[in-house]
Amino acid sequence: MLNNLLRKLYNIKIWLRLVVSIWVMLVIAWSTMIYWASYEQRRTAIEQARDFSLSVHQMTLAGLTGMMITGTISHRAVFLEQIEKSNNIRHLAVVRGDPVVRQFGHGTASETPSDAIERQVLETGKPFFQVQDTKEGESLRVVMPAVAQSNYLGKNCLSCHHVAEGTVLGAVSMEISLDKVNVAVGQFGGKVLVVAILISVPLLLFIYVFISRFVTVPLRELTKGLDKIALGESDLSQRLTIHGRDEIGQASAAFNRVIAKARKLLNTEKLAGLVFENSLESLMVCDGAGRIQMVNRAFTDTTGYTPEEVIGKSPSMLSSGKHDMAFYANFWYSLLRDGRWQGEIWNRRKNGEIYPELLNISTVTNSEGDIIYFVAVFSDITERKRNEEIIAFQAFHDALTGLPNRTLFKDRLEQALSLGRRDQERKVAVMLLDLDRFKIINDTLGHNVGDQLLQEVAHRLRGCLRESDTVARLGGDEFTLLLPQIDKPEDAALVAAKILEALRQPFHLGGKDLFVTPSIGISVFPEDGDDADTLIKRADSAMYYVKERGRANFYLYTDELETQPTQRLEMESQLYSALERREFIVYYQPQLDLASGQVYGAEALIRWRHPIMGLVPPSDFIPLSEETGLIVPIGAWVLQTACMQAKNWIKGGMSPDLLIAVNLSPRQFHRIDIVKLVKDALDYSGLEPKNLELEITESLAMQDVEYSVRTLHALAELGVQLAIDDFGTGYSSLNYLKKMPVNTLKIDRSFVHDITIDQDDAAIVSAVISMAHSLGLTVIAEGVETPEQLNVLKVLGCDRVQGYLFSRPLPPEEVTDFLRGGQHDS
């Protein structure tokens, strides 16, 4: 405990310790002096009170003696009271001893001894003096005996009291107040305290100034100079002022001599320290035994360890465990042989993270050649490594999907072909995949949704392939797939079918359900080509063949496709001028009501009457028109032409309820002005909205359900009829269908074709009809070609039909005759 107190005292500044010590000594000295003086004054005052009590004793006995002689002793109580009042006596009484009592009686009640002290004095004859506290305050209690004497104050006590001389006749008991004594002592102490303060304050100020001027200031200058040296802030050109030849002056002179000699050394050390501590690279100095002696700030930033945590320890605490014994054996061999080692090494930070660093370590030897230090300079190259990996990844991968890009895909394809050329049994498949109508999604829902869709497609494609296969993104919505080892082309077809099924499921993006289909072209090594470029080109030809045949499928390349690209380019160039040259015409296929057998309407179907190729079917030019965007003006022309034709038929006497059906292409349907386009066609032709039925395919309706519902409601408000075409081939649900204001469902011809021989198709058609009727919708079956198909549809409750059994699509003039024919056999 004493040691702790001393340590705390040593932490206090010297000047403060000195001043406080002197102040404490002054307080002790003045307190002692005041106490002693007050004590002496009180003792003297009490002695004076004792002397005073003797006078009161004599005065009291003298007065009582006189009263006894004169016979006025009965007035003794008044006499005693006057003595009390005139002499500041709190209590004065005279008590009788036994000799007096026996001779004269007990006297008054106050003359009987009242306490043990009075009885003691009567018995012993010795006076009693004592300072005591009473209720009235501090007082001096005095009890003095009255002794019989032959001559007491000129009187002979024995003349009246027949007792032996020296007999105790009684006692005088009194209490003398000490209040004035205490007041006087307190006033004296206060005066002495004031004097002490008046003397001590100037003395303390003088001591403080003296210590500050001659001790504290020189010591502060000396300490400040030492601190500057320790912190490297001193320029070492300044010298301390020497105030005298005392101990402090001698210390200042010694300090100046040290500074003069150490200036060059300190400047060198300061420069080295600045370089060491502010180096951007991590520095570590170990002694010859391999224990860490120094580290800089960059070391802490890199490893997370502070100097206190590593100094005195081995650098092995940074070891990552990624290097084997052989690595470290070679490391130490090179370091000890050459005196240096440089290379990349993996170490571990304080938080456990392993990181790469570029290390340069050198040895420092003494004059005998012994190693006294190892100096390590290293830098964290994590970011550099990461950037190298990112650059390498970006060079060979697609930024959006993370898939390999064209360069990496082609490299892997070349490797696969190289292996295939050495192994005659090995086949390699290249698949080119393009998303159907992806541009519509991108344009209508935004590039953000389009990018998310591409990422999801990439994810599903990975799930369809083996670990050894590769899927890459070439750009846009085009993907390539590499199957480096298959046994036969049919293996690639199975993978393509798996992909079709995987992409058939809806994509949930942005709170919407999106549907997308792929067109896939396949080429196989060595049958379809011996090099990468040829295989990719022929897979591309097969993919475009799929698109021209309706999309959402796959196709294995054949030699017949070689002429397709040329024909496609020629057709594309001629499509641009076909509308201007009025080469398009509209055919109409009649639609019948099964209940009445009447023709209630017709579907408008475009044809291209080419001057050289003749009548070109829609399947040959509609997909191309969709891709090029020409479908928009072509579709607008078809809509206007069909409305005008329907109006002419009604004017010519046909049924005022005649319905004309027009297909809307995906591009048309997703135009923001589609409602205006329809209204303008109705206004221009004068056709009533109830006579126009607009058809969209089921897959188009399900591509963006919210948009479809919103747009169909806007069209329904015009008063037109709405139909879902190709129903059964898409992915609609009853919940979605209920939200759409459609009037008619058109069963796709693929189900009608085998309805008489395929129970599954018959079951699908029956389910569609039942569902549609439950929603209050009309059902029309397209592609009816035989009486057997018709009979099944009648049994299943189908409402309307169209197909070759009744009529092929006809030019307007032939349809007019057909309509005038009235009822037809159904």
Side-chain angles (χ1 to χ4, degrees), residues 418-574:
S418 178
L419 293 173
R421 294 185 187 101
R422 292 196 295 268
D423 183 358
Q424 299 299 321
E425 301 298 322
R426 189 186 188 110
K427 295 183 182 297
V428 179
V430 174
M431 306 171 68
L432 201 63
L433 181 150
D434 186 85
L435 301 179
D436 302 329
R437 301 184 179 91
F438 173 76
K439 190 176 187 304
I440 296 174
I441 296 176
N442 221 23
D443 293 343
T444 55
L445 300 183
H447 292 285
N448 185 45
V449 174
D451 289 347
Q452 293 180 46
L453 177 60
L454 290 174
Q455 290 170 338
E456 287 296 318
V457 168
H459 177 71
R460 293 191 188 182
L461 290 177
R462 287 193 195 99
C464 295
L465 301 181
R466 300 167 300 183
E467 193 70 29
S468 59
D469 300 335
T470 297
V471 56
R473 181 182 177 221
L474 299 186
D477 61 335
E478 195 172 43
F479 296 85
T480 54
L481 297 93
L482 169 64
L483 309 181
Q485 186 172 8
I486 60 174
D487 297 327
K488 51 187 181 298
E490 288 75 11
D491 294 340
L494 290 175
V495 174
K498 185 178 180 181
I499 291 172
L500 287 173
E501 182 60 30
L503 299 187
R504 190 184 300 273
Q505 307 306 316
F507 291 86
H508 306 287
L509 299 174
K512 306 176 186 296
D513 285 340
L514 303 181
F515 297 88
V516 66
T517 58
S519 296
I520 305 173
I522 306 171
S523 63
V524 178
F525 166 88
E527 288 89 338
D528 302 327
D530 189 61
D531 61 89
D533 290 337
T534 301
L535 289 169
I536 293 174
K537 178 182 176 183
R538 291 182 173 174
D540 185 63
S541 298
M543 181 193 70
Y544 274 106
Y545 181 79
V546 173
K547 283 189 173 295
E548 292 169 359
R549 292 300 182 271
R551 302 181 175 87
N553 211 334
F554 65 87
Y555 190 78
L556 287 162
Y557 173 82
T558 60
D559 292 338
E560 289 76 14
L561 297 180
E562 281 298 308
T563 59
Q564 292 291 328
T566 303
Q567 293 175 356
R568 185 177 184 277
L569 288 173
E570 291 177 359
M571 184 174 292
E572 184 178 337
S573 64
Q574 294 186 41

Side-chain angles (χ1 to χ4, degrees), residues 252-372:
S252 299
F255 174 83
N256 289 340
R257 290 193 299 272
V258 171
I259 293 302
K261 293 182 179 180
R263 179 177 180 181
K264 182 177 180 180
L265 179 61
L266 290 175
N267 281 336
T268 303
E269 183 180 352
K270 177 182 177 182
L271 179 61
L274 288 172
V275 173
F276 183 85
E277 189 61 27
N278 294 289
S279 173
L280 296 179
E281 293 189 314
S282 303
L283 297 174
M284 177 176 65
V285 179
C286 299
D287 61 16
R291 293 182 295 271
I292 300 174
Q293 300 299 307
M294 294 174 62
V295 295
N296 66 347
R297 189 185 303 117
F299 174 92
T300 300
D301 294 339
T302 299
T303 66
Y305 287 105
T306 62
E308 294 78 12
E309 292 175 312
V310 298
I311 290 177
K313 297 182 181 179
S314 171
S316 60
M317 65 184 296
L318 304 174
S319 178
S320 65
K322 292 191 68 172
H323 302 289
D324 55 19
M325 295 300 294
F327 173 85
Y328 288 108
N330 180 67
F331 167 85
W332 282 107
Y333 175 76
S334 300
L335 179 61
L336 297 177
R337 181 194 62 189
D338 304 328
R340 64 188 306 271
W341 183 90
Q342 182 177 3
E344 292 185 6
I345 190 171
W346 290 86
N347 271 338
R348 187 186 303 274
R349 305 187 206 274
K350 181 181 178 180
N351 61 10
E353 178 188 355
I354 296 175
Y355 69 99
E357 67 181 32
L358 182 62
L359 173 64
N360 190 330
I361 184 168
S362 304
T363 60
V364 178
T365 58
N366 58 17
S367 56
E368 287 78 23
D370 298 325
I371 296 176
I372 56 175

